[in-house]
Amino acid sequence: MKNKLWLLFILITVCTWGVWGAFSGYQIQHGIPDTVVYIAWALSMIPCAIVALIINKGKVQHDWKSIGLGLAVGLLGAGGQLILFKALTQGPSYIIYPFISMSPVIVITLAAIFLKERASKWQIAGIVVALAAILLLSLESNSDSSPVSGWLWMVLAILVLLAWGIQGFFMKFANNSMDAESIFVWMAVWGLVLIPVAYFMDGSAAEFFAREGGVVTTQFWSSFGIQILNSIGALTLVYAYRYGKAVVVSPMEGLSPMVTVLLSLIILSVIPNPIQIAGLVCAAFAMYALSK
C-alpha cells in the first residue's frame, strides 16, 4: 500500500466518528427515540451523497452488479443500525458495544480468505493490538444496577456484528469494480429506503413527530447535525477501502473511540479509567504499526 491516501481517509473517519461518539449522548439526554435518530442519520447521507455525485460529475454506476453490491453494502449497514436500536432496548450498551466492536475480525477473516489480502509483520502486530484497543476503548463502567436478563440482546448483537463485518468486506469487494462515489450513493439510497421501516417499527417515531409537529424541530435538526458527522466518516471510509487493504483499514476504523475518550477528557473533563488509558496506549501503537 504505497499510496497513503487510504491513511488520510481513514483518519478522517476515525476523527469524525470519534467526535460523533462524544456528542451522540446528547440525543438520548433530550429524549429523541432511536428510530428518529435513524431517520436523521439516513437524511444526513443526502448532503454527502450530493458531494459524491459532484466529485463523480453526476455519474452513478447502475448496472445490475453495481446495484447488487450497493444493495449489499447499504442494507447491511442500515439494517445493522436498526437491529442495534432494538438490541439496546434488550441489553446495556456497556455489554453490546464492546461485542459489536469486534466486527473488524470478520472483515479481516473474509478479506484474507476471499481477497487473498496479506499484511506485513508490522501491520499484523498493529491488527492484533488494534483489536485489543477497540475492546478496551469500548468498555464502559456499569452505572446501571439492573442485571442483564434474557438472550434476545445477544442474538441481536450477533446479527449487528455479522452485518457490519460482512458490510466492510463487501465495501472493499465493491471497490474492485465500482467507483467509491457510486458505492456511497447506493449506500445512501438504501439507507433512505429503510426510513419507513424505522418510522413504523415501534410507533415511537410517529409519536415524536406528532408531538413535535413534524421534522422542523430543534431536537430533530440537532440530531441531524450530529449524525452528519457519521455520514462524512462513512464517505471517507469508502475511499479508505478503495486505496487500502481491508485487513488494515478495518481495524483502524474501529479506533474512533480513542477520539471520543480524548474529547471527553479535554471538553468534558472526564478522567479516563485505567482500562481506557490502556486502550489509548494500544491505539497509539496500532495506528503507528498499521501505517507502516
Side-chain angles (χ1 to χ4, degrees), residues 1 30 41 45 108 112 133 160 166 174 194 196 200 202 210 212 221 234 239 246 263 281:
M1 291 188 299
H30 287 73
W41 169 78
M45 295 283 278
I108 293 167
V160 178
I166 297 171
L194 287 186
F200 293 107
D202 59 9
E212 299 296 328
W221 288 107
Y239 282 112
L263 277 176
V281 174

Side-chain angles (χ1 to χ4, degrees), residues 83 87 96 99-100 152-162:
I83 297 172
I96 292 174
F99 192 91
I100 63 176
L152 181 56
W153 72 269
M154 182 178 294
V155 173
L156 295 173
I158 291 173
L159 290 175
V160 178
L161 174 74
L162 292 173

Side-chain angles (χ1 to χ4, degrees), residues 22-44:
F23 292 98
S24 59
Y26 172 89
Q27 301 159 92
I28 299 173
Q29 293 168 5
H30 287 73
I32 303 177
D34 291 332
T35 49
V36 174
V37 174
Y38 175 86
I39 294 172
W41 169 78
L43 292 176
S44 75

Side-chain angles (χ1 to χ4, degrees), residues 178-200:
M178 296 175 66
D179 52 70
E181 295 82 7
S182 292
I183 295 172
F184 186 84
V185 169
W186 284 116
M187 284 174 62
V189 168
W190 294 114
L192 291 168
V193 166
L194 287 186
I195 284 181
V197 177
Y199 185 83
F200 293 107

